[in-house]
Amino acid sequence: MGEPVPTTCMRCAVGCGHVHEGVDLGHGIASVRGDVAHPVNQGLACPRGIRESANPSGEWLTRPKVRRDGELVSTTWDVALDRVATAFENVLETDPDGLAVLGSGQQTNEAAYALGKLARGGFGTRFYDANTTLCMASAVTAYYDAFGSDAPPCTYEDVPKAKTHLVWGANPAVAHPVMFRWIAESAREEGSRLVVVDPIETETAERADTHVGLAPGGDLALARAVLARTLDRDLVDREFVENATDRFDALRDELPVAESAAATAGVPMDVVDTLVEALADPTLLYWGMGVNQSSRGTATARALIDLCLATGNLRPGSGPFSLTGQANSMGTRVCSSKGTWPGHRDFADSDERTAVADAWGIPEERLPADTGPGPVGVVEAIDDGPVEAVWAVATNPVAGLPDATAARDRLDDVFLVVQDAFRSETADLADVVLPAATWGESEGTTMNMERTVSRVRAATEPPSEVRTDLDIVTTVGDRLVPGLFDAHDPKGVFEEFVALTAGTDADCSGISYERLERERAVRWPAPDPDSSGGYRYYDPDSGSGSWEFPTATGRARFSTGFGGGVPEPTTDEYPLTLTTAREADAYNTGVRTRDSVDEPGDPVARVNPTTLDRFAEPGDDRLTVESRRASVPVSAVPDAAIPEGMVWLPVHHPATNRLTIPATDPESNEPNYKQCAVRLVAADQWADSGAARAVLHDGGVSRPRGSDGEVSR
């Protein structure tokens, strides 16, 4: 095997250090293990992260492809890039917003920064996203509203200090296994507890001391019921509220009656009291996609932060802790120029825009006026807006966007460029496919969910016809916007990025490749070579009361708001609620874990046995889930962990999002993936109705990774 190379796992956002060893001959990773020298995980590693780094099951892309006479055929890089440059130039000559760019939380910081710089400063398009709107935008908006700044105040160091671990709309036992081990260990300590709020008895809920099963979409109502009950029982931390917050009186005046809100949430008052009492101890309140991916995601995330503020849970060992989805979602928030300029510089602030334009050497008027509508709006703009070309980088919108059939139809109407390591439904639809290097083949950095930056290193060379994301982005940039990129190598791009963060709330200017070589990982803010960030907003050495927030008054802000239901309630015609969630052994839309794009198989639908009895004959596990948008054949499995009236489908399966609704949060633009109205019908009824399966792909074949057509592992 090759030499051991310390790197960072890119499977989830925990940010575990790994050690990779490349194969002796050919291309590939021979072994993966946890890095005992890495300060984040100290050698721990989950089987999924190891397996998907070393031996993913996806179909590798190994040659550039272009579409000729309706078919994707292999070609050279020169031909593929010429096709891309010509098409993009033609669009940009008419309107910069005619070119849309979709990035991903799977890119390194350097590639994400370069892609955002090219999209915003080179093309000048507002139709750009870096994945954050699909998973973290609601949490980000809530953090800004409450604290004037993005990112959780907590760190992993706070986990063992907490007495209550309140997990709300998240399943870290599946999504973040190493972090969940820390949570479970802390919760086992005397006087500690694990409380889970989720409609489903998830793997995390199975380990909990208390599981609160609420009605689908009842999160906001329950959070308000708990806060109202906290006031009723006079358990508010008055000193903290008076000294460190604003807007509490406005919130108090608008709170619903606790009993009424609890009834809306489908939770009895004794359980509400259990949550109130749990919050009286130092509490880490974690939440995930069950909260964020909702048309009320921002309001609910704000309500959870309000619970922390009202109970004084904003000290080390406590606080609101949003659990990030993709591996580098935090990095894309800080560096990719999606919702803010690099370093969380305010997108609309004229001084910040001038600073960014000067740093990039471009006219300020080229920068778009706003942050854009998010991926759902980007694709919808193909119908009635200016978008004529789409560049998708390490993302699979044909399967990953809600109402996926409509998204596919729209993407089929534009010039589509797909840059990825694996074949996908989107790659099969593309006009040009650019094969990109993956984990273990790329150099750069990443950021985990607690703001820690660490290195990503290559343990093996990619095949000869495969190029890194950063190389592809800067090459396209050099062709279309000559002079935009001074640096083309990862280290040079990183140095440019961190310099642009100097003096910001997300200051990374004290981090360098040399420092990361010595320390393995550094948490921001790190404004100098010796500093590393800890718990945010709290300074125990301050003589003025410890808390300081980057808001106009220097105080945290409560939120108001309560109303609104799910965007698509159940009806007599569609009497069941669909929810989507992650599986332990699957990856995003399955590109690294599915053996074949052509034959993904039917998704497994988990359904309560009582619900199955209502809609299926005994022993009939071949059913169809129908929404107003699509019909999807499923293999139904009775599962008492799923509440009655609900159907659970894996978010990773390419058919699942054909069913989901394209409603979005009005403040964050994040899609409502979690609740829509469906029905179950027998498979023969579905066949008799004349409905047909939507096409999930349309050709394209790729060889296994490796220059000789073999996987070298």
Side-chain angles (χ1 to χ4, degrees), residues 310-499:
T311 56
N313 278 299
L314 209 74
R315 300 172 173 89
S318 67
F321 203 160
S322 58
L323 301 181
T324 307
Q326 290 199 39
N328 200 27
S329 287
M330 178 67 76
T332 61
R333 286 152 67 178
V334 175
C335 71
S336 71
S337 301
K338 165 48 194 167
T340 58
W341 300 115
H344 290 166
R345 294 175 181 269
D346 188 340
F347 205 90
D349 186 284
S350 59
D351 291 338
E352 301 288 22
R353 294 171 66 82
T354 299
V356 171
D358 289 347
W360 288 350
I362 61 168
E364 185 178 339
E365 57 269 20
R366 184 184 298 170
L367 299 176
D370 62 64
T371 60
V376 172
V378 166
V379 174
E380 287 178 345
I382 295 170
D383 278 350
D384 53 10
V387 174
E388 298 179 16
V390 175
W391 183 8
V393 180
T395 188
N396 187 16
V398 166
L401 287 181
D403 193 7
T405 302
R408 183 192 188 282
D409 291 343
R410 289 174 173 131
L411 289 167
D412 198 25
D413 286 339
V414 296
F415 183 83
L416 178 61
V417 177
V418 172
Q419 177 176 322
D420 212 326
F422 295 92
R423 183 183 166 206
S424 68
E425 288 74 19
T426 308
D428 281 353
L429 198 66
D431 295 282
V432 179
V433 176
L434 305 176
T438 186
W439 315 339
E441 300 174 342
S442 301
E443 296 283 337
T445 59
T446 186
M447 291 183 200
N448 71 2
M449 72 174 80
E450 60 145 12
R451 299 176 270 117
T452 295
V453 180
S454 58
R455 283 295 311 277
V456 175
R457 292 182 174 89
T460 182
E461 291 290 330
S464 59
E465 293 298 312
V466 172
R467 300 168 68 167
T468 67
D469 280 325
L470 179 60
D471 181 25
I472 298 169
V473 170
T474 55
T475 299
V476 172
D478 288 345
R479 289 192 177 215
L480 293 170
V481 195
L484 181 67
F485 290 110
D486 294 325
H488 295 71
D489 64 296
K491 182 179 180 182
V493 172
F494 183 80
E495 290 173 347
E496 178 184 321
F497 153 64
V498 298

Side-chain angles (χ1 to χ4, degrees), residues 194-216:
L194 172 61
V195 180
V196 174
V197 177
D198 201 296
I200 293 168
E201 188 180 0
T202 63
E203 291 84 347
T204 303
E206 289 174 355
R207 301 278 296 275
D209 299 289
T210 302
H211 171 220
V212 179
L214 73 168

Side-chain angles (χ1 to χ4, degrees), residues 14 230 244 281 305 339 357 377 413 432-433 439 443 657 696:
V14 174
T230 300
D281 290 328
I305 295 172
D413 286 339
V432 179
V433 176
W439 315 339
E443 296 283 337
N657 277 320
L696 297 178

Side-chain angles (χ1 to χ4, degrees), residues 554-579:
R555 299 158 70 91
R557 299 176 291 216
F558 282 93
S559 69
T560 55
F562 169 69
V566 296
E568 190 176 63
T570 58
T571 64
D572 289 342
E573 187 178 7
Y574 295 94
L576 305 176
T577 298
L578 172 69
T579 192

